[in-house]
Every structure is written in structure tokens, then in C-alpha cells.
């Protein structure tokens, strides 16, 4: 599909392209090669830096494709490895698409399957971007995760004025029937409900005071899961949430509320197959990974559920130094510590990073409150120039160490 024949509704925005201002503040001009891909995609104009025609994955660190790829190492230990995808880049950035094909088994739309992008108007759906992702996955024999069917964010602009207590259930179930129905048989797992727990909202059940809760009460969760099972009986239905990774009181409370929700759903025979642990983790944190998340995963396994690490990346705003090699090392250590803590549990079946290259990480995007606004985040396994970083090798080593 070429760029010109794709229709974008006016509301549809992906925010992860490097702006000229970010490029300049990043200091990347001096590396040269990034200017190539930038010029090729038309992101930057007027840059006169040295141009290398073919940035490649071959590095001093050795082979990383084929048997040396993330997916080969993951498969040897019964894991799928995946990444969140900005669907527009599949058309505009050949290196991005190539890395996906070479390294990953599984893709998930970073935004294209959310309500906002899919629903330009109450009675209209826009499927072009989501369809493009599913087509890319089919062409390359990859699996697809669906993200997501009910969330308090990314709701369309018309939502608040249109959806009310009388029609909310119909909106929710129609949406799920239409979207999950369209991709029936093509989605390995769906994030049916995303981020429903928010301890600080103060409810005894821990539920977030989201639009869905206000409209439908706590029952919206079961309604969504039942509708998803009906629409696509083969998809693994997942509850996905963040803020549960560390051994600290705040994360411990959230884990308790989520486990309580999962137990309640199982007891009520709500169709539920898996727990998603987003895994947006931090370098320079004063907390560590350990028994807290291990018990959380074991508790989930005891309910007969699978576990997916759905949105792994490392926010490095708390690192006190600017040196890139030092930061990359610290970031890789966080990947290592985290994965070595959670991967030994056989309930963990997949690891997805939230993006592929630092070039497009959401952590540099406009939704982030930055502590280091002049420093680009290096959150992902590939750098701004598509080269594998220490984090890439850390992931591969952790897959190898898993005894499953
Ligand atoms: C983020 C995307 O990466 C951004 O492009 C978008 O602007 C906001 O949403 N938890 C989730 C994801 O479940 O959907 C979020 O994705 C990141 C946090």
C-alpha cells in the first residue's frame, strides 16, 4: 500500500516522529548516518550532513539476524518476542519494517487499534491503519496482539458528548463486536481492558474512576470480556496494566487489587486467559525487582492464566549522567535485572517492547513530562540509527538463561 492512497481521518495522529528540534537537541547530527534515513523519509530537510547510503545491522557486536535474532533466541525458550508498531512507518521507513521482520514474531499497534484512531465519528470506523498492520503480519508470518478494547484514554473527541448511561453498553459491545469481529481468527491476544485499576482513586475495589466505570459501573469489565469472547473465541483475552513491577508499597498495593480483580473474574466465570504486565520500567530507580512481581506472576499462574510482558521499555530520565555508553549500559542492566526476575516463571509466554528503535519511542513524544527535556531517551533495543544496543544483547542473553 503506498503512502498516497491511504486515507487518514483528521483526528488520526501518531506522535513519534523525530522533529527537527528534537534532532538538533539530540546531538545526533554528528553521527551522520541518521541523516540518511531522515532525509529518505522526508522528516528533516535542509540537513547537509554526511550521508551513508545503506545503514545496516552488521555491527562490531557480530551477527544478529537469523539464528542470532531475538525471535530465534526467544523461540528456543518458548517465548514470543514482539514490538509495538507505528503503522505509518511500515510504509515510510524500510529499515524499521526490516528490523521488525528480522527480529520479531509478534506485532501490536501502538495506536491504530485504539478507540480514537478507529472511530472518527459515532457511526464511522476507520480501519485502514489497523488493516495494514494485520496485512503486514500476515505477509511476514507474524502474530498480532490487539490493543485495546476498553481504556480511559484515547477515546474519540465525540465520546463525552455522545455516550451516556443509557447507550454506553451498546457502544461498548458494538465496538467490540465490530473490531474484534473484523479480525476474528487473526489476533493471538486482545487487551480487552487496559489500566482499570488506579489505587489513588480511593475506591475499595481499587477500580479507576474512568469514563467506562462512571457510565456502566464496575460491570463494564465483565461486559467487555464477554463481548470479546463472543466476537473472537480464539483470541487470548487479556487484562493489561502498569505500575506493578517493583518491590515497593505502591506497586504492591496495585498488584493486590489486580489479583483480586482477576480472582473475582475467574470466580464469576468471566472469560479471561491472560494478564498483561506493561513493564514500563525505569533506570535510576530507588526500588528493585524481586519477590513482589515473582509472587504476582505465580499468583496469576495459579489462576490458570498466562502472562505477557506487553510494553517493555526503560525510561532513563533519572540517570544523572549524559554519556551515551554509560546510559546504554545502565539501561541494559535494567532490562537484564527485570527479565532475569520474571522470565524464569513458565507462565510468561511473550515479551513485547513498546517500539523498536529509540528514534520513535513514545518517551520522546509530546505526552511525556520530561525531567531531561534536552536529552533523547534511549529506551529500546535499537538506537536512533537502527543499531542494536546493549539492551538488545541483554534481552537475548536473558532469553537464553530461561530454563523453560
Ligand atoms: C501510548 C503511545 O505509545 C503514544 O504514541 C500515545 O500518544 C499514547 O499512548 N500504556 C498503554 C499504551 O497501554 O497504549 C500507551 O501508548 C503507553 C502506556
Amino acid at each position: 500500500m503506498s503512502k498516497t492512497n491511504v486515507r487518514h481521518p483528521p483526528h488520526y495522529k501518531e506522535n513519534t516522529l523525530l522533529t527537527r528540534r528534537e534532532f538538533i537537541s539530540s546531538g545526533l547530527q554528528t553521527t551522520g548516518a541518521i541523516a540518511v534515513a531522515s532525509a529518505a523519509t522526508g522528516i528533516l530537510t535542509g540537513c547537509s550532513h554526511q550521508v551513508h547510503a545503506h545503514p545496516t545491522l552488521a555491527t562490531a557486536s557480530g551477527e544478529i539476524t537469523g539464528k542470532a535474532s531475538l525471535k530465534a533466541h526467544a523461540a528456543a525458550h518458548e517465548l514470543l518476542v514482539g514490538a509495538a508498531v507505528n503503522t505509518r512507518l511500515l510504509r515510510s521507513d524500510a529499515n524499521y519494517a526490516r528490523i521488525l521482520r528480522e527480529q520479531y514474531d509478534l506485532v501490536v499497534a501502538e495506536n491504530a487499534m485504539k478507540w480514537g484512531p478507529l472511530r472518527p465519528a459515532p457511526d464511522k470506523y476507520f480501519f485502514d491503519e489497523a488493516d495494514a498492520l494485520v496485512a503486514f503480519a500476515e505477509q511476514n508470518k507474524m502474530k498480532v496482539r490487539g490493543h485495546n478494547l476498553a481504556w480511559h484514554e484515547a477515546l474519540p473527541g465525540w465520546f463525552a458528548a455522545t455516550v451516556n448511561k443509557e447507550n454506553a453498553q451498546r457502544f461498548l459491545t458494538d465496538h467490540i463486536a465490530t473490531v474484534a469481529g473484523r479480525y476474528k481468527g487473526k489476533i493471538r491476544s486482545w487487551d480487552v481492558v487496559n489500566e482499570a485499576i488506579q489505587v489513588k482513586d480511593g475506591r475499595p475495589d481499587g477500580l479507576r474512576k474512568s469514563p467506562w466505570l462512571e457510565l456502566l459501573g464496575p460491570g463494564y469489565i465483565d461486559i467487555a470480556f464477554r463481548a470479546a469472547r463472543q466476537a473472537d473465541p480464539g483470541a487470548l483475552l487479556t487484562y493489561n496494566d502498569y505500575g506493578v513491577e517493583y518491590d515497593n508499597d505502591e506497586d504492591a498495593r496495585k498488584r493486590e487489587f489486580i489479583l483480586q480483580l482477576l480472582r473475582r473474574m475467574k470466580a464469576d466465570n468471566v472469560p479471561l486467559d491472560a494478564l498483561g504486565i506493561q513493564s514500563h520500567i525505569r533506570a535510576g530507580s530507588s526500588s528493585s525487582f524481586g519477590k513482589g512481581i515473582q509472587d504476582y506472576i505465580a499468583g496469576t499462574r495459579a489462576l490458570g492464566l498466562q502472562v505477557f510482558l506487553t510494553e517493555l521499555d526503560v525510561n532513563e530520565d533519572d540517570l544523572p549522567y549524559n554519556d551515551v555508553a554509560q546510559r546504554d549500559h545502565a539501561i541494559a542492566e535494567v532490562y537484564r535485572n527485570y527479565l532475569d526476575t520474571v522470565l524464569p516463571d513458565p507462565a510468561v509466554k511473550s515479551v513485547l517492547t513498546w517500539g523498536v528503535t529509540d528514534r520513535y519511542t513514545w518517551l520522546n513524544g509530546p505526552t511525556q513530562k520530561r525531567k531531561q527535556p534536552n536529552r533523547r531517551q534511549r529506551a529500546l533495543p535499537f538506537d536512533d540509527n537502527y543499531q542494536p544496543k546493549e539492551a538488545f544483547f541483554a534481552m537475548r542473553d536473558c532469553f537464553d538463561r530461561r530454563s523453560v
Side-chain angles (χ1 to χ4, degrees):
M1 199 186 293
S2 82
K3 195 167 186 156
T4 43
N5 64 19
V6 175
R7 288 174 297 110
H8 295 296
H11 70 286
Y12 187 82
K13 275 209 278 302
E14 292 261 17
N15 59 19
T16 46
L17 292 183
L18 198 68
T19 63
R20 181 168 170 77
R21 188 174 50 78
E22 285 170 344
F23 175 75
I24 288 163
S25 68
S26 71
L28 284 166
Q29 307 90 302
T30 54
T31 66
I34 192 165
V36 181
S38 306
T41 54
I43 298 163
L44 302 168
T45 48
C47 279
S48 58
H49 303 290
Q50 193 201 346
V51 164
H52 301 300
H54 300 290
T56 71
L57 284 180
T59 67
S61 321
E63 183 53 63
I64 65 156
T65 59
K67 284 187 182 149
S69 63
L70 285 179
K71 63 181 169 186
H73 283 249
H77 298 273
E78 293 181 23
L79 282 173
L80 293 173
V81 63
V85 172
N86 174 331
T87 50
R88 291 176 177 193
L89 297 171
L90 293 177
R91 299 183 291 277
S92 65
D93 186 336
N95 281 310
Y96 179 82
R98 177 177 50 79
I99 294 180
L100 281 169
R101 278 193 291 266
E102 286 174 354
Q103 299 295 336
Y104 295 95
D105 294 303
L106 185 60
V107 285
V108 58
E110 183 171 357
N111 289 299
M113 287 194 191
K114 294 173 182 172
W115 269 72
L118 282 179
R119 305 291 303 269
D123 55 351
K124 283 206 185 75
Y125 285 84
F126 173 79
F127 283 118
D128 293 11
E129 294 290 337
D131 285 358
L133 180 70
V134 174
F136 174 83
E138 282 177 344
Q139 281 152 22
N140 296 294
K141 302 191 171 51
M142 299 163 105
K143 297 172 173 53
V144 187
R145 295 202 77 231
H147 174 82
N148 55 56
L149 297 170
W151 191 27
H152 62 286
E153 282 186 33
L155 290 166
W158 51 262
F159 189 91
T162 311
V163 183
N164 53 46
K165 288 189 173 165
E166 282 64 53
N167 64 20
Q169 182 160 347
R170 188 172 54 76
F171 266 98
L172 181 61
T173 54
D174 282 359
H175 179 88
I176 293 174
T178 306
V179 177
R182 183 179 185 89
Y183 301 115
K184 180 178 173 181
K186 299 181 174 190
I187 301 284
R188 182 171 177 91
S189 61
W190 261 114
D191 286 334
V192 180
V193 173
N194 197 32
E195 304 181 352
I197 298 289
Q198 176 73 315
V199 180
K200 70 169 188 277
D201 283 357
R203 289 174 51 99
D205 56 8
L207 289 180
R208 180 189 295 275
K209 293 180 177 163
S210 75
W212 291 117
L213 184 99
E214 316 253 300
L215 289 161
L216 291 172
Y220 85 88
I221 296 176
D222 299 5
I223 291 170
F225 276 87
R226 293 206 160 97
R229 182 66 101 225
Q230 206 179 346
D232 186 355
L236 296 167
L237 304 186
T238 308
Y239 174 76
N240 192 46
D241 215 328
Y242 68 96
V244 296
E245 295 82 5
Y246 287 98
D247 273 355
N248 61 36
D249 292 348
E250 192 183 345
D251 286 20
R253 271 195 296 277
K254 188 146 177 180
R255 289 191 289 264
E256 259 319 300
F257 276 119
I258 293 173
L259 276 175
Q260 183 184 303
L261 170 67
L262 303 183
R263 273 188 220 113
R264 203 276 303 149
M265 289 171 72
K266 290 304 280 184
D268 289 347
N269 280 320
V270 177
L272 169 71
D273 305 299
L275 170 68
I277 301 178
Q278 288 189 5
S279 315
H280 294 293
I281 51 182
R282 303 187 71 91
S285 169
S286 52
S287 302
S288 50
F289 309 117
K291 194 167 156 29
I293 192 160
Q294 287 175 337
D295 289 352
Y296 181 59
I297 293 172
T300 305
R301 173 163 41 80
L303 292 172
L305 303 175
Q306 303 188 18
V307 174
F308 310 138
L309 312 182
T310 51
E311 306 185 13
L312 177 61
D313 59 13
V314 173
N315 186 319
E316 50 135 329
D317 260 5
D318 290 331
L319 291 179
Y321 35 79
N322 286 326
D323 179 72
V324 166
Q326 234 186 325
R327 281 157 57 204
D328 279 357
H329 181 66
I331 291 161
E333 280 293 297
V334 179
Y335 271 88
R336 240 187 300 273
N337 288 338
Y338 183 64
L339 291 175
D340 280 343
T341 306
V342 297
L343 290 185
D345 195 305
V348 179
K349 305 291 184 193
S350 57
V351 179
L352 296 97
T353 48
W354 202 243
V356 176
T357 115
D358 296 336
R359 190 173 171 75
Y360 307 118
T361 170
W362 73 303
L363 295 175
N364 287 323
T367 57
Q368 295 298 308
K369 285 194 207 87
R370 296 294 311 277
K371 292 185 190 164
Q372 304 276 358
N374 298 320
R375 194 167 86 185
R376 286 179 52 73
Q377 299 247 19
R378 301 178 61 83
L380 291 166
F382 291 87
D383 72 10
D384 279 307
N385 195 28
Y386 310 88
Q387 298 300 311
K389 294 157 54 189
E390 198 178 328
F392 170 94
F393 298 100
M395 283 178 77
R396 234 177 36 174
D397 292 347
C398 292
F399 296 165
D400 292 346
R401 273 196 287 277
R402 168 161 143 128
S403 56
V404 178

